[in-house]
Structure formats: structure tokens, C-alpha cells
Amino acid sequence: MMYDCIVVGGGHAGCEASLAPARMGLNTLLITGNINNIADMPCNPSIGGSAKGIVVREIDALGGEMGKNADKTQIQMKMLNSKKGPAVQALRAQADNIVYPKEMLKTLKNQEHLTILEGMVEDLEVEEKKIKGVILDNGEKIFAKSVILTTGTYLKADILVGDTRHREGPHGEKPSQHLSDCLKKLGFQIIRLKTGTPQRIEKDSIHYEKTKREDGDMTPYAFSFDHEPNYDVHNQIPCYLTYTTETTHQIIRDNLNKSSMYGGLDDIKGIGPRYCPSIEDKIVRFADKERHQLFLEPTSLQSNEIYIQGFSTSMPHDIQEQMVHSIPGLEDAKILKYAYAIEYDAIYPTQVKQTLETKLIENLYTAGQINGTSGYEEAACQGLMAGINAALKIKGKEPFVLKRSDAYIGVLIDDLVTKGVKDPYRLLTSRSEYRLLLRHDNADLRLREYGYRVGLIGEEQYQKFVQKKQQIEQMIQRLKNHKITPATQVNEYLSQIPTAQLKDGITLYDLLKRPEIQVEHLKEFIEIKEQPEIVEQVQIQIKYEGYIQKAKREAEKMERLENKKIPENIDYQKIKNIASEARQKLEEIRPTSIGQALRISGVNPADISILMIYLKKGEKK
Amino acid sequence: MEDTIAAISTALGVGAISIVRLSGKEAIQIVNEIWKGSDLIKSPTHKIHYGKIVEKEKEIDEVLVSIMRAPNTYTGEDIVEINCHGGIATTNKILELVLEHGARLARPGEFTERRFLNGKIDLIQAQGIKDLVDATTDEKRALAMNQLNGKVSSKIENLRQEILEKILAQIEVNIDYPEYEDIEQLTNEQILPELKNIKNKMQDILKESKNGVMIQQGIKTSIIGRPNVGKSSLLNALLGEEKAIVTDIEGTTRDIVEGEIVISGVPFHIIDTAGIRKSEQLVEQIGIKKSLEMIDQSELVLFVLNNHEKLTDQDRTILKKIENKNKIIIINKTDLKTNLEIDQLPKEECVFMSTLKEQGLDDLKEKMKELFHLEKIQTEDPTYLTNANSISFLKQAIASIDQAIDGISKNMPIDMVEIDIKKAWDELGLIIGKTYQDELINQLFSQFCLGK
């Protein structure tokens, strides 16, 4: 049987990567080592967070599954940065890590055109630099028009604890032994990365009175744009906050040489994520910090496991016991699963295009940790984009690439393929230069249209969205048209808000720009029947208009550079005077536009100017 | 292949000699066709030839022609420079001739563009070259060179780093790690003094840069005073030549006369003005109006008083007007009896002179030097911005910081305000070439005057 698309790996990237082409009508096969580990959450039991929460919204706007699945399975919801401006707010859910995979599996199983197969892919079938299919460990060959690799940490995975190293994936799963060698043979540059996860402890062995309770928000939220939040805010499961102590730090310092990272193993090549360091790292690098905060997070309503966020380590088990017990509230904690570090192979991501198709092998795509990222959300959005692009290519349609000013997804992929990675890449709001545009609240306004066009957003969903857009515009127009005058009554009302009295007439639109005025205040003058999400959107667009416009102008400036395309067949050897480092980088990354070229480190403005003039001269001839 | 470009590469109307320059493969061939003298085709590189430019046997001008062959030339291509002796008309004629013979008129900045394209310079250096070319004193050259060396950038880089470290990074960490209680939340109250501090530093650089610009462009100096107090004589004494008409009839100098004097390497552009007095005569009134305007435009006012005469109401008005200006009060005609109320003048700012007896000129020069702290301006190793483009970026950056301060005072969320701070950061980056803007290169090359 010949498939349109084969997806290798059933993690968060693999789920989206197989759902997208199947939903676009293509025959898709998902191959996974263990069907029960589909959409597994081997690390933190949460979805979303700063920047990542916005990505989940973006995935939903485009027609992906992660947001909906998180809504179904969340046990606590929180809006982060709610005291800051709207541009940085992001949703985070504690998701039930037993129910989440089950629900996702249900969705996959019910998906038309999608088949799931248990198996271990160990080789790729390639002909003349084109992918033809995959070869399983039992020698079986399965053919497809395109293959998406979403192997997560399973490529030559090693679990590291103290001075021991075992070749296995998370949960003792069998890793893929040969696939990365196969990629190497095909010419890919393979890098070794490392990540880690903390202990799980028994729920009932914690002295909660010594910790600080952290509840979910009392406002209900949903990631997805397609349904209203439907849970009881009072039924959320709390997290608990505690801290490391001087004793913890002493234990770690005394045993540093036993940690896999610090001498326990001297053959570690993997580079761990700067943004999520192990507790050893934190204590060595920030030696003068008296304590580090730890969150005790519930993992599931169906289990008694508590996750210690912030305590990732690769110490031997006996030291881990001491460490855990030195923490207030955890004196008698029972460790159910020890922390470990995991080392795995990934490909250097500048070897893939903006579409996530590899440059070396046509129709071969990679997404998720294999591309050097870390995090469920980062993985899922790449899976979605790889799935969409694989499907579009099979259908003979134009590729779908999101710009940095479109979405965090665009930022992430552009960073990966342009800058490469040194350590596992985590998305941060600071990575975006246009975060005022890339907000939680407007993900649908930014992306639904695209989702509709590629065929992942249905007609009914789309019409709902079009209506929302119209309502927003109409409400803004109404506020622009409605003028109030400095009548005594008006001024009396205004001064009790309190806000400055009027001297001249003013539109409600301009009145709303005052920092102290909310839409609520305008109800004195005008009837407002719009849904809260409409009101919120209108309020943000009006209140922050000046800043949003500034950001838009910056984005437009950049867009002009993005639109200056570099021909695919450009010969950088022919361009005189480009610095040799820049030439080498340009050769390696082969940027598609001047805008992208500009972001390559080692390529200086002067090199860009030369490149632009070279291209200009070419045009004239 | 590239075509051959030509342009008049000296500013029109300035200087006795103007240069028509050609660059490109056919540069030598083209000039040889309109040339009477030794065969230029056979000329070795970097050699100057004497001869005549001719149009069909008719002599146009007596010229010197420099032949420079690629690659060791300004543009990296063959270059011919024709040094013409004639005026504007002749120079234009010669340019027309080379265009007729196959050269193309260069676009603004195209010589430098080719220099840049042929790998002779990078973008930052391209800006410096203009200043270097324009430099007429050693100090100016040092400034222009400084830009080439990139020394200017260290101050700006430090400022950027400060913004990055103290503000941007702090804001970002608060956003990305909102639940880290141990990380201090940067509040509007905390950010305000930081911003003001950074703004002050930027303004310091701006101030110093303005001094730097003075070195490049000269300090605008006006000489004012009632008619016949000796303004023209003073100008002539300073310039050492008879530029203004000197008579003892009131109001004979009606036109503003320019001259330049270099003190400690800094040029002072000296402007003589018609005497300021209440006059019925229309022509004089225009002159007075101009003089009053001139005070506003001047960076230095030399106010000349007659030692022999008492202060008039008009003098007092002027004294009032120039109270807060850089000024030197020149008490002229000390060879005559003192009738002036010297005790009513700011003593520190007075210089006694007798232009007739050629006394006091050195004192005046000393005072001018003192007034502008010329000893303090590090003309040897300057570290301030000299280029108008860079200065305008700095001004923009200051404006962006102002907007950030404004946003904070309006209680806007800090992550919104940050867009302005980031903008300031980017704008500082533009000065040192750290961020790239599409417009930069276009701006750069169009700003260049024809030729070079």
C-alpha cells in the first residue's frame, strides 16, 4: 500500500503532523513505538505558559488539535501576566497526563484517512535524493509520497542517572538505534542534545502546610476558539510552592561529581537547555542565590504522582532522596519516579527549509525535538506546519510559511532554520520582535484565514470567525461615530469615574483611549450588546492603538526585506567582497529572502548591502 | 560589463580648479578621444599628463589629466581625472564632451557605490569617506578617520548595552518567567530614573557631537555693532585681507561678507553685518533685520563697541539680546579717549582692541579659543559623532526614550512602553551598523554629492 504521508513518532509533533494531512484528505500513516504513549507528557504536566500558550492558540486558529485536547483534559487554568499588558498574557493549563494522551488517541483513531501502526522505524527508503518510504526494524518497507520525522528524544536515546547510562527512551521505551545513523549517511549533520526531568513524588506524602497553595484563576478560560470554557472554576486542582534550602544546596555541592553532568559521566556530549537548567546547574551558576523556587504540580486526577517543577537533576538515586527530603514539605516525601537526564540525537536545523522539508532529501520533513527544540507546544506547532506543507506539496499547492510578524510559530521556525541551535530551543516572548502583534487575544484574527485556506478550518467555523471580525469592526465604528458633548450631566458622570471633564466634544473611541476608561464606562452613553471577547478585542485595539501601529510599521519595514527574494540557485561564490564567514553562512543556510539573510549571525549589514546590490544588478540585466 | 560613469567631482563654483572624473573600462579611451597631448592609452598608471581638451580641433581648456588604472584606484576601476582651469561653463563643456564620447552621467554617490561594490570599503566606511573627502583641516581629517576606525562606536555600544542589560533584559525576564518570585519585577517607578539616566548620557553625546560638528562645519560667528564702530576693520584684521569695504562713512557695508579663520584647527565662519541702528533708510533697515536674525543663527557673537562713545539705547538692547549667547564684547578704538561706560559691561567677556593700531587681535583669538573650550575638545582622538546622519539617529533615539518616558507617565503597561525603548536601542544600533535597515543604503548613496 502506498500512503500519501507517513509520520514517524506519535508525540505532540507527530499527532499534529498526522492529523493535518489526514484532515486535508490525504492517506496518512502514523507509526509509533507504543500506541499507548501517543501524545505522552513525559515531563511537566502542563500545556501553555509564557509564549507557549500563545502558540497553542495559534495551533488552534490554524486548525490543529493541541488546544482542544488541553481544554478537554485540563485540571487547572491560569492566565499568566494578567497584570501586565495584553501583549504578553498567555494561558497555561495543568493537563491531566493520563487523560490527555487518551483523548488524543481517541481523536486520532476517529480521524478519517488516518491509520495508526505500532512499529519501530530504523531506516529510510531514498531514491535520487527523494524520500520513497520507511523501513521498519522487522525489515518491512512502507512507501509514501512524503515522510515526516517526529522522533522526539528517541534517536539513540540514553537515560542518564548518576554514573549510569542506559540506552532507552522515556518510560523505558525502546529507542530508535539506527535511524540517526541512516540520516547521517544521507548527509545530515547530527547533533547531540540533552534534557532532563525531575522526580515524581507521592501526593499523600507531602506536608502541604509547609508550602504555599497556588490556585487556578477564578475566570474560566479556553485555549480553543471553537468552544466556550466549560469547567467549574472551583473544581480546579491547586499547585503548591516551596523552595530549596541551604541544606539542599550543600547536598548538591557535596555530591556534584556524582551528577552525570558534573563528572559522574565524562562522555556526555549533549548540551542541555539554557532555559530549563538542572538544579545542579542553577546552584553552580547562581552560587549566591539562597533558594530556588519549586512548584509541586499535580499530574493527573487518576494518579497520586506530583511533579516537582524546577528540580530536574541527574544525580544518583540515593542523593536524590537526600535532596528531596531537604525541602520544606517534602521531608517525608516518597519518590515514585527518580529524576533523570536524557541524551538524544537531533539534526542541525539549518538543514531544513522554512516549510520544514529537509534540504537534502525531497519530501522528507522533520518536526519537533529532532529539529532541536524542547517543549510540547514547540513540537506540536512544527508538526502542524510540516503536516500542512507535506500535504500542500502533494496537492501541488504553494507552500505555507508564516512570517515572524504573523505568529510565534513563524518566529520559532525562522529562528531554527536561520540561526540553528546550540541547546534545545525554547520559545520565549523575547524571541519575537513583534510581540505586540502576536497576542493571545488575536491569534484567530491573525491566522484563521490561513487555516481556512489550507483546508483545516471548516466552513461553519470560518463563518463564525468572519462574523466575529465584522462585529469587532462594527463596534469600533460605532464608538468612532458616537460623539459626546461637555454637557453638565456628562461631565458630572465623568468626574465620578474619575476622569478629566470634557471641554470639547469627544468620540467614545477617543474617550476609551484614556487609561482609566473601560468599555464598561461607555455603557452610560451607548448600548453594548457584544460578547465579552468582542468587547475585549475592541478595547485592546483602541487603547493600545498607538503602540500597535508602531509595531505594525516595524513589521512592514521588515516585510519589505522579506519580500526581497533571493533566487534559489544563487551562487555566493560569484559575489565579490562578501566576508568569507558570511559567504560560508549564506551557503549553509541559503536564505530565501534578504530579511532572512539579515538574521543570520555572522552576516553583517555590509554583506547584506553587497548581496542586495548584486541582486539588483542581476535584475537590470 | 559595467559602463563608464563621469561627473564633476568638485563642488561647482568653489575653488579655482574643478575636476571631471571618469570611472570604468572605457574611461581612458574616452578622454583620449578629446585629448591633444601624449597618447593616454599608452600611459602607465598613476601618472599625470599636461595637454589640451579639444572639440574637433578647437581648444576647450588647458588641463592636467591623471591616469589611474584598475585595481588600485578609488573605485577599483580605471579612473581618469581631468583637472580643468576654466570656470563653470568650461567644466560643464568638458563633462558634456565625455558624455558625448560614451560615458554616462554618474548617479549621486555612484563612485562610492562602485568602490563599495568592488570591495574597497564596507558600508560604515562609506559614510566616513564623505567626511574624509570634505575634511579641510587636520582635525577634520582625524574625525573622519575616526569614523573609519570605528572608535565612535564604543560609546554608543556601551549605551546600547546599558539599555539592554538594565531595562530590556529585565522586562523580558519578567514576561517570560512571571512566576519567578525571586526575580524582581521591574516597575514603572524603577524604570523611570534608569530611562532618564540613559537619556542624559545620550544628550551628553549629542552635545559633544555638536562640538564635533562645529569642528567640521565651523562656528558661525557674527560681528555686530552700530555703524562705524570698526566691524569691517575687525573682520579684515581677523582674515588678514581686505574683504569688506572699509570707509568711515556710516552704513557702507550692507552685504554680509563671509570669511573663515582657523583657530586651534577649528574654523570660525565670520560674518560681517550691516550696522544695527534705528534707521529711516529702507536699505539699512533690511540690513538691520538681517543682523538681528544673524544673532539668532550665530554660535558666537562679536559685539563691537566704540571706546570713544557712550552706550546707546540700541547697544543696551543688543546687550540684552545677546545675554545668553556665546559672545565677546570688543571695545574698539582704545587709541581714542574712553567715553564708554566700561564698568557696566560684563568684564569677563570684554576684549580691548585698536584695529587701527593693530592691537588686541591675539587677545581676541585667545578669548574665542577659551570660550569654546577648544583645548578641551579632543581634536586628536575624538569620540563623538560627526556625521549628520548619525546625529539624526541619535536624536531619534532620544525622542524614542522621551516617548517611553511619556508612556510610563501615562501608566501604560511596561511591555508596551518597551516598544519605544527597543526602538531607541535599534536606532543606536543604526549608528554603529548593528541593525540593518533597507533605507540605510539608499539614503547613504543618494546623500552623496555627485562624484564623491
Side-chain angles (χ1 to χ4, degrees):
Chain A
M1 156 127 202
M2 170 86 167
Y3 287 94
D4 288 314
C5 190
I6 292 175
V7 177
V8 182
H12 301 280
C15 289
E16 302 288 354
S18 50
L19 283 171
R23 285 171 175 170
M24 289 163 78
L26 298 182
N27 250 329
T28 308
L29 175 70
L30 170 62
I31 305 177
T32 175
N34 180 347
I35 199 161
N36 294 315
N37 272 342
I38 277 197
D40 182 29
M41 305 170 79
C43 196
N44 59 320
S46 60
I47 301 282
S50 183
K52 290 161 170 263
I54 301 177
V55 167
V56 179
R57 297 274 280 180
E58 293 176 348
I59 291 172
D60 191 75
L62 288 169
E65 195 58 31
M66 180 173 246
K68 292 181 178 65
N69 207 53
D71 285 341
K72 273 186 231 169
T73 60
Q74 55 88 8
I75 53 179
Q76 190 204 82
M77 277 280 196
K78 220 172 183 171
M79 184 64 88
L80 301 177
N81 288 327
S82 55
K83 291 203 181 82
K84 299 195 179 95
V88 294
Q89 290 176 8
L91 200 52
R92 188 193 55 207
Q94 297 297 326
D96 189 314
N97 72 1
I98 294 175
V99 186
Y100 188 96
K102 278 188 182 158
E103 285 295 326
M104 187 59 92
L105 181 60
K106 228 190 265 174
T107 305
L108 294 177
K109 278 183 168 166
N110 290 334
Q111 181 59 50
E112 206 187 345
H113 307 302
L114 178 61
T115 312
I116 306 172
L117 173 76
E118 268 190 351
M120 186 56 65
V121 172
E122 288 290 7
D123 208 348
L124 298 174
E125 186 78 4
V126 176
E127 262 175 40
E128 290 170 354
K129 300 265 171 203
K130 273 189 187 176
I131 197 81
K132 293 291 160 192
V134 299
I135 305 168
L136 303 185
D137 56 355
N138 62 10
E140 188 189 342
K141 286 185 182 178
I142 308 174
F143 296 95
K145 291 175 189 159
S146 65
V147 170
I148 306 174
L149 298 179
T150 55
T151 52
T153 58
Y154 281 82
L155 289 186
K156 285 200 174 169
D158 281 341
I159 298 276
L160 315 168
V161 181
D163 58 357
T164 64
R165 172 190 285 274
H166 304 285
R167 173 125 310 181
E168 62 179 32
H171 306 311
E173 290 291 326
K174 199 167 61 159
S176 169
Q177 295 281 14
H178 304 293
L179 194 53
S180 72
D181 290 337
C182 156
L183 288 169
K184 206 183 254 174
K185 249 187 277 163
L186 288 171
F188 285 95
Q189 184 196 342
I190 302 292
I191 52 173
R192 195 104 175 119
L193 296 173
K194 184 186 74 78
T195 186
T197 193
Q199 302 82 357
R200 312 295 192 275
I201 50 176
E202 196 180 69
K203 191 161 75 180
D204 302 327
S205 67
I206 299 169
H207 300 293
Y208 290 103
E209 70 281 4
K210 294 186 183 170
T211 65
K212 189 178 156 233
R213 186 179 157 129
E214 301 267 320
D215 283 304
D217 283 356
M218 283 300 122
T219 313
Y221 294 106
F223 280 112
S224 179
F225 292 98
D226 295 314
H227 52 244
E228 298 300 316
N230 56 347
Y231 61 95
D232 181 356
V233 289
H234 301 288
N235 252 348
Q236 298 179 84
I237 309 299
C239 297
Y240 297 88
L241 175 63
T242 184
Y243 295 91
T244 58
T245 60
E246 185 40 46
T247 317
T248 324
H249 296 196
Q250 197 55 50
I251 297 166
I252 291 168
R253 277 194 293 266
D254 289 347
N255 295 285
L256 211 50
N257 60 345
K258 292 182 187 159
S259 159
S260 309
M261 280 300 295
Y262 285 89
L265 282 171
D266 37 24
D267 60 341
I268 289 197
K269 292 189 197 84
I271 300 166
R274 270 173 297 173
Y275 304 102
C276 158
S278 68
I279 190 73
E280 293 97 294
D281 263 348
K282 290 185 199 171
I283 281 158
V284 171
R285 281 171 43 207
F286 303 98
D288 50 349
K289 238 185 132 178
E290 283 166 23
R291 60 180 198 176
H292 296 272
Q293 63 185 21
L294 304 172
F295 283 100
L296 306 178
E297 303 181 1
T299 60
S300 169
L301 297 178
Q302 299 174 21
S303 82
N304 57 353
E305 280 183 16
I306 297 288
Y307 173 95
I308 315 179
Q309 199 235 85
F311 213 51
S312 148
T313 177
S314 55
M315 285 285 190
H317 292 176
D318 58 328
I319 309 298
Q320 288 195 33
E321 291 279 352
Q322 292 178 42
M323 283 161 62
V324 168
H325 295 150
S326 70
I327 290 163
L330 304 188
E331 294 85 351
D332 302 307
K334 190 175 165 206
I335 300 179
L336 298 174
K337 283 177 188 160
Y338 289 96
Y340 61 85
I342 184 165
E343 230 188 9
Y344 57 98
D345 279 356
I347 66 167
Y348 195 65
T350 60
Q351 301 169 97
V352 301
K353 303 178 187 175
Q354 299 263 6
T355 56
L356 298 180
E357 185 182 20
T358 64
K359 292 173 183 171
L360 282 170
I361 308 295
E362 202 182 336
N363 297 328
L364 176 66
Y365 296 76
T366 53
Q369 275 165 309
I370 190 172
N371 283 343
T373 59
S374 106
Y376 310 145
E377 304 80 0
E378 286 88 342
C381 73
Q382 288 175 68
L384 177 66
M385 295 303 283
I388 291 173
N389 275 305
L392 288 174
K393 193 166 181 195
I394 291 169
K395 288 165 173 259
K397 290 191 179 160
E398 284 290 300
F400 174 47
V401 173
L402 287 168
K403 293 191 294 284
R404 297 179 74 89
S405 51
D406 282 333
Y408 274 100
I409 300 174
V411 173
L412 179 140
I413 294 176
D414 183 66
D415 278 349
L416 285 182
V417 306
T418 307
K419 296 173 181 163
V421 297
K422 286 191 181 70
D423 57 334
Y425 178 100
R426 190 205 139 156
L427 201 53
L428 301 162
T429 53
S430 11
R431 295 204 194 259
S432 164
E433 49 279 68
Y434 314 115
R435 66 159 185 251
L436 240 55
L437 305 179
L438 310 186
R439 305 190 306 271
H440 164 91
D441 61 88
N442 70 354
D444 56 340
L445 297 174
R446 290 184 273 128
L447 302 172
R448 270 265 130 127
E449 191 75 46
Y450 294 127
Y452 176 66
R453 266 189 263 159
V454 299
L456 289 177
I457 296 295
E459 198 56 46
E460 196 186 323
Q461 280 171 295
Y462 181 65
Q463 284 314 323
K464 205 180 126 196
F465 160 74
V466 170
Q467 267 175 23
K468 178 181 171 183
K469 241 171 97 172
Q470 282 169 353
Q471 283 176 6
I472 293 167
E473 279 156 25
Q474 282 163 3
M475 181 169 167
I476 291 178
Q477 209 48 53
R478 277 204 306 140
L479 298 181
K480 272 186 180 166
N481 292 341
H482 196 112
K483 211 168 176 180
I484 52 169
T485 52
T488 324
Q489 217 179 349
V490 169
N491 273 336
E492 268 171 21
Y493 171 72
L494 292 178
S495 53
Q496 57 90 20
I497 287 177
T499 183
Q501 297 200 350
L502 299 182
K503 286 196 188 81
D504 301 302
I506 187 173
T507 62
L508 294 181
Y509 181 90
D510 285 328
L511 188 66
L512 187 55
K513 280 186 185 289
R514 295 185 178 180
E516 62 277 10
I517 298 289
Q518 305 295 319
V519 167
E520 200 56 34
H521 296 125
L522 304 184
K523 287 185 175 168
E524 178 82 7
F525 309 110
I526 194 170
E527 191 188 12
I528 289 164
K529 297 175 296 200
E530 282 84 354
Q531 291 295 309
E533 57 163 7
I534 306 284
V535 172
E536 183 205 14
Q537 194 51 238
V538 167
Q539 183 150 309
I540 291 171
Q541 287 190 16
I542 295 177
K543 272 204 172 318
Y544 304 113
E545 192 195 11
Y547 287 102
I548 293 170
Q549 286 307 329
K550 269 184 206 172
K552 274 194 179 149
R553 278 198 296 275
E554 290 300 308
E556 277 161 15
K557 242 189 240 171
M558 199 56 190
E559 207 166 317
R560 285 203 291 277
L561 294 175
E562 305 288 351
N563 289 337
K564 291 204 167 95
K565 296 293 174 203
I566 302 175
E568 228 174 290
N569 57 1
I570 188 168
D571 181 357
Y572 288 106
Q573 299 300 331
K574 275 195 188 152
I575 309 175
K576 276 187 274 177
N577 313 318
I578 287 188
S580 56
E581 188 198 355
R583 191 194 309 276
Q584 190 198 327
K585 283 283 176 69
L586 288 165
E587 286 279 9
E588 176 195 326
I589 291 156
R590 302 201 68 80
T592 54
S593 70
I594 290 289
Q596 192 193 353
L598 183 61
R599 288 188 293 272
I600 300 171
S601 66
V603 177
N604 293 316
D607 301 313
I608 294 292
S609 300
I610 292 166
L611 180 58
M612 273 175 58
I613 290 169
Y614 175 84
L615 293 174
K616 230 182 200 170
K617 282 201 295 185
E619 279 167 26
K620 277 186 196 154
K621 271 171 196 169
Chain B
M1 267 328 287
E2 292 295 340
D3 45 7
T4 299
I5 52 172
I8 298 169
S9 70
T10 42
L12 277 176
V14 177
I17 295 173
S18 37
I19 297 173
V20 174
R21 172 195 273 177
L22 296 85
S23 176
K25 272 231 136 164
E26 293 167 357
I28 300 170
Q29 171 68 36
I30 289 168
V31 177
N32 204 44
E33 285 170 16
I34 56 167
W35 168 253
K36 201 170 151 187
S38 59
D39 189 356
L40 298 176
I41 306 282
K42 291 178 185 158
S43 164
T45 187
H46 291 80
K47 196 164 161 70
I48 297 174
H49 303 268
Y50 167 78
K52 281 158 189 154
I53 295 293
V54 290
E55 184 190 20
K56 296 176 191 151
E57 302 302 313
K58 191 182 141 206
E59 268 181 36
I60 304 294
D61 196 12
E62 217 177 58
V63 297
L64 290 172
V65 164
S66 317
I67 301 293
M68 288 156 281
R69 293 182 187 273
N72 293 322
T73 67
Y74 182 78
T75 56
E77 303 169 331
D78 284 355
I79 283 184
V80 180
E81 286 181 357
I82 309 170
N83 290 266
C84 333
H85 294 87
I88 297 168
T90 316
T91 312
N92 275 332
K93 181 73 201 165
I94 293 172
L95 178 64
E96 272 171 35
L97 272 177
V98 300
L99 297 180
E100 269 172 37
H101 282 81
R104 172 175 67 73
L105 187 63
R107 284 181 283 107
E110 199 172 357
F111 283 98
T112 306
E113 188 180 305
R114 287 193 173 193
R115 177 165 170 73
F116 167 66
L117 272 172
N118 290 320
K120 295 270 172 180
I121 44 162
D122 69 25
L123 194 63
I124 300 296
Q125 288 174 322
Q127 279 187 330
I129 278 173
K130 180 171 157 50
D131 294 337
L132 191 59
V133 167
D134 290 346
T136 52
T137 64
D138 286 346
E139 281 74 17
K140 279 185 189 172
R141 201 157 288 125
L143 268 175
M145 285 300 289
N146 190 57
Q147 194 154 20
L148 293 174
N149 295 339
K151 263 187 194 167
V152 187
S153 47
S154 75
K155 269 193 181 180
I156 301 286
E157 186 56 63
N158 289 345
L159 255 181
R160 285 186 99 224
Q161 194 56 31
E162 198 172 324
I163 294 176
L164 190 63
E165 279 178 15
K166 290 192 179 160
I167 303 178
L168 294 180
Q170 190 67 38
I171 294 174
E172 301 287 339
V173 78
N174 288 163
I175 294 166
D176 275 319
Y177 295 93
E179 292 182 315
Y180 275 59
E181 298 180 341
D182 296 350
I183 299 174
E184 205 184 344
Q185 292 284 331
L186 196 61
T187 61
N188 283 1
E189 291 72 39
Q190 288 166 316
I191 211 170
L192 207 55
E194 290 289 359
L195 282 179
K196 284 183 175 159
N197 175 31
I198 282 164
K199 187 185 159 185
N200 285 342
K201 287 186 183 170
M202 283 158 75
Q203 275 174 329
D204 283 348
I205 297 180
L206 187 64
K207 221 189 270 168
E208 279 181 60
S209 300
K210 281 184 176 161
N211 277 341
V213 170
M214 275 187 205
I215 292 182
Q216 284 216 309
Q217 298 176 350
I219 296 166
K220 266 196 197 162
T221 307
S222 60
I223 304 177
I224 56 167
R226 278 184 286 123
N228 208 23
V229 290
K231 299 187 298 294
S232 299
S233 313
L234 173 66
L235 175 69
N236 290 342
L238 280 169
L239 298 178
E241 56 183 293
E242 294 269 320
K243 266 238 168 171
I245 311 154
V246 187
T247 66
D248 51 4
I249 308 159
E250 278 189 21
T252 35
T253 315
R254 292 206 183 91
D255 295 327
I256 290 167
V257 178
E258 289 193 50
E260 189 180 281
I261 173 176
V262 178
I263 300 174
S264 293
V266 176
F268 287 78
H269 289 297
I270 301 183
I271 304 151
D272 179 29
T273 56
I276 296 176
R277 59 164 192 171
K278 285 175 186 149
S279 163
E280 303 292 318
Q281 285 168 275
L282 189 65
V283 180
E284 275 295 341
Q285 260 178 350
I286 294 167
I288 289 162
K289 198 166 164 246
K290 270 191 182 171
S291 300
L292 285 166
E293 279 169 16
M294 206 52 68
I295 292 178
D296 291 329
Q297 290 168 21
S298 301
E299 284 143 351
L300 171 64
V301 174
L302 301 179
F303 182 35
V304 189
L305 290 169
N306 186 341
N307 182 49
H308 193 55
E309 294 173 6
K310 285 190 179 305
L311 282 173
T312 65
D313 286 352
Q314 219 179 53
D315 292 333
R316 292 183 203 278
T317 313
I318 300 259
L319 280 171
K320 186 91 184 146
K321 178 150 177 85
I322 59 176
E323 204 171 346
N324 295 316
K325 282 225 102 120
N326 287 317
K327 60 176 179 294
I328 297 171
I329 296 165
I330 294 158
I331 298 163
N332 194 20
K333 307 195 182 181
T334 50
D335 48 304
L336 299 177
K337 183 175 171 268
T338 303
N339 290 323
L340 191 68
E341 303 92 326
I342 292 169
D343 52 329
Q344 292 180 22
L345 299 170
K347 209 174 182 177
E348 287 298 301
E349 289 164 309
C350 290
V351 172
F352 294 89
M353 285 185 82
S354 165
T355 45
L356 189 71
K357 307 259 173 206
E358 294 180 10
Q359 285 165 355
L361 192 60
D362 288 341
D363 291 346
L364 175 61
K365 286 184 180 175
E366 197 51 46
K367 204 88 187 172
M368 287 162 80
K369 214 159 129 179
E370 213 175 276
L371 201 58
F372 284 92
H373 308 285
L374 290 186
E375 260 82 18
K376 280 192 210 156
I377 294 180
Q378 296 169 353
T379 49
E380 294 296 312
D381 186 17
T383 51
Y384 36 84
L385 304 168
T386 62
N387 172 291
N389 214 14
S390 308
I391 290 174
S392 71
F393 279 135
L394 181 62
K395 283 184 183 163
Q396 276 179 25
I398 292 174
S400 294
I401 294 286
D402 275 335
Q403 286 182 28
I405 291 173
D406 182 54
I408 284 171
S409 68
K410 285 191 179 136
N411 235 339
M412 281 291 172
I414 209 161
D415 48 276
M416 292 272 174
V417 174
E418 195 204 8
I419 193 171
D420 287 320
I421 305 172
K422 226 176 204 168
K423 196 147 174 278
W425 186 69
D426 279 341
E427 280 151 352
L428 291 178
L430 281 172
I431 299 173
I432 53 175
K434 279 283 168 78
T435 28
Y436 180 82
Q437 267 189 354
D438 194 8
E439 296 92 278
L440 188 61
I441 183 169
N442 295 335
Q443 172 70 27
L444 176 72
F445 287 127
S446 64
Q447 185 188 312
F448 267 59
C449 79
L450 273 169
K452 187 154 61 170

